[in-house]
Amino acid sequence: MSRILIANRGEIALRVIRACQELGHEAVIVHSEADEGTRPVRVADRSVCIGPADLNSSYMDEQSILSAAKMVDADAIHPGYGMLSENAGFAERVEESPFVFVGPASDTIHLMGQKSEARARLSEAGMPVLPGSDGDLTDYEEAEEVAEEVGYPIMLKASQGGGGRGISKVMSEDELEDQFQRVQSESEAAFGSEKIYIEKFIEDPRHIEFQVVGDGKGDVLHLYERECSIQRRHQKLLEEAPSPAMTKTLRDDLTADIMEALSDLKYSNVGTLEMVYDESAEEAYVIEVNTRIQVEHPVSEMITGRDLIRIQIETALEGELPIGQSEIDRDGHSMEVRVCAENPHSGFSPDQGTIEHLNFPSGPGVRVDSYIETGTWISPYYDSMIGKIITWDSTRSECIERMKRALGETEIEGISTTIPLFEWILDEETFRAGDFDTGYIDAHRDDWKSYLGSN
Amino acid sequence: MTDDQFSFRESDVRRHVKRLLQIMNHYDLTEVELENKTGEGGIHVRRSEQENYPPLLEGRSTDVEGEIRAPSIGQISWDVNTGDSVEANQVVGTIEKNDETVEVSTDMGGIIAELCEEEYVEFGQRIGSIEPKQNDNGDENDVDKSEQEGDGE
């Protein structure tokens, strides 16, 4: 039995606790003062308060987390997603300590965090990447040259960016200079680096991603793709697997390329290759590799019947993959909606308050990953996502109906949530037909606003 | 009197509003709501903490007079012993938070009554206590009684 310290909170902390306990490991959770008494803290085998509510003084404080690991004599640290999960410096400090980091190697996290460098490495390894600059732009003149060569419109992106920040679309040469300076400043402010690069802009592509796991020695497996095109301001809202746009030929080609490239890179632990898919041209390009477990991992679990968190822990502790590719089959369709404490009637502003009444759905093919319960205080300190409702069924249309039923059963009182928006999406014709892209939410703004206004 | 017959002198309104703001400020209120004109409803007030901060179950950050709470998680070592006299804001120990050192200081002067003997402490954990010094009459917060009487025997 190993003792695993979980350096996160909320639903992912509870998800990791469950996997640890099912594997016979001891789950120790760190928590802030504001999370004292919450469900993950109560369910864990042991809990350690590491700081006040403020993120930087608790969940993001590397020294506190390493100190907690020493205090409980942990064997491994699981970072969850967000927080310190993609902080290469933290991963390196854990690697230098007696603890195992449940995630990719620090040098992989570092490489994939440098988006332009990662593009170059993935391209060398045979993955299709969007046309753009070779690495970071050295100056504005180079930006002009590359943009001319690639052809407008282009995207200017922060090399160390993420979460939809440090990105700007440039329609023509007239806009380039202003946008170049703006993205550089935004990148410096948000990520502490002025490094930016250029990528060809594809108008409203689909966002499709592949789930992978590697042992760090060249053995890699995949758990197929997820469709994540339903987004608002670059934040995913609803995900599903498989993608309605994926053909067998394209899937086979992409997974073969991915396996080869990640085997070359000696990728370790879980990762996600995010791709843009230009449906009209039938071309898919890798845009980045996320070196963490993703929020939307449950849909991959539902169609494969595999537990990614268990695989992640077993791979980290044993140094080898617990299963082979031949043991991973795909069956049916799965969908996930992210339930956020946001008010869809007032521009999706975060909502706060106490959950006064709660009834999550259940029944066949329904899974809920959430930490909230009646009485939980949704505080202003943390992310607004309070849980995920996931459904599975044999076909996509049945899965949609099941999700509608699940949302209909859901009762959350005390705060506003994003559920009404999903109710609209699930009934919308083009969504139901699987005919959508990343521009979907913007394109239907008037329709869903009208629906929300009357409900 | 009907609503139409209501009239306010501007100076009265200013005076009442000013008084209300003073009361709100004094009690740290952010909202005062009068339910209805008939008096059937009542008055609802809301303090700023209720709106902005989560209800902390143990209030680890809350200062409690006489308690020493760990300002950080980590390995603790004390510079004082129980029975020692300490001043307010005196550093009485340190916590090693991995590579960082965090000082533990007092919030009041007095006599160290308790010190935890654990090696590691959590953030906000009660790790010691201080009792006020007493004078000849047994009153608190005066000269240390033991210092006055100690050598006279």
Side-chain angles (χ1 to χ4, degrees), chain A residues 50-174:
Chain A
I50 55 168
D54 167 46
L55 270 179
N56 290 326
S57 308
S58 51
Y59 299 105
M60 297 293 282
D61 183 359
E62 298 175 26
Q63 300 285 355
S64 287
I65 288 164
L66 288 167
S67 187
K70 279 185 190 169
M71 178 180 182
V72 301
D73 195 19
D75 297 299
I77 299 177
H78 195 303
Y81 53 66
M83 305 296 185
L84 292 170
S85 62
E86 291 185 285
N87 182 321
F90 177 66
E92 192 176 351
R93 264 170 226 115
V94 177
E95 285 167 357
E96 288 165 356
S97 75
F99 319 119
V100 172
F101 184 72
V102 184
S106 61
D107 54 358
T108 307
I109 298 174
H110 178 77
L111 171 67
M112 297 307 171
Q114 312 293 313
K115 309 292 183 199
S116 56
E117 225 178 289
R119 260 171 57 84
R121 285 293 298 277
L122 290 164
S123 178
E124 279 168 26
M127 289 302 301
V129 296
L130 280 167
S133 51
D134 292 329
D136 299 319
L137 296 166
T138 50
D139 51 31
Y140 175 67
E141 283 67 36
E142 190 189 352
E144 271 185 314
E145 284 169 24
V146 174
E148 190 64 36
E149 194 181 308
V150 168
Y152 289 94
I154 56 139
M155 292 290 276
L156 281 173
K157 289 185 167 184
S159 293
Q160 292 176 27
R165 290 182 300 168
I167 298 178
S168 183
K169 178 182 170 185
V170 185
M171 295 302 292
S172 69
E173 195 179 347
D174 298 342

Side-chain angles (χ1 to χ4, degrees), chain B residues 29-152:
Chain B
L29 304 179
T30 56
E31 200 176 311
V32 177
E33 185 184 344
L34 302 175
E35 278 244 311
N36 60 32
K37 294 176 197 167
T38 62
E40 289 168 0
I43 301 172
H44 298 271
V45 294
R46 177 171 286 145
R47 297 181 77 158
S48 58
E49 291 92 334
Q50 287 177 305
E51 193 62 45
N52 298 324
Y53 300 101
L56 303 176
L57 294 182
E58 289 184 15
R60 289 169 181 264
S61 295
T62 314
D63 286 333
V64 178
E65 196 177 70
E67 274 191 4
I68 306 174
R69 294 203 179 205
S72 163
I73 182 178
Q75 207 168 3
I76 191 162
S77 56
W78 294 106
D79 299 337
V80 293
N81 296 302
T82 50
D84 285 358
S85 176
V86 293
E87 303 296 325
N89 302 315
Q90 181 180 330
V91 174
V92 291
T94 53
I95 294 176
E96 296 299 322
K97 185 173 79 168
N98 200 42
D99 296 336
E100 284 176 19
T101 303
V102 180
E103 290 181 340
V104 180
S105 55
T106 57
D107 63 348
M108 62 175 268
I111 304 295
I112 298 285
E114 294 170 280
L115 294 176
C116 82
E117 291 175 4
E118 292 164 59
E119 187 185 359
Y120 280 95
V121 294
E122 294 182 31
F123 168 79
Q125 184 180 328
R126 185 179 184 276
I127 52 175
S129 65
I130 300 170
E131 284 178 357
K133 294 175 185 175
Q134 295 182 333
N135 62 18
D136 284 342
N137 303 322
D139 297 334
E140 293 179 350
N141 293 325
D142 208 333
V143 186
D144 187 339
K145 194 176 179 181
S146 62
E147 282 175 12
Q148 284 194 328
E149 295 177 343
D151 298 325

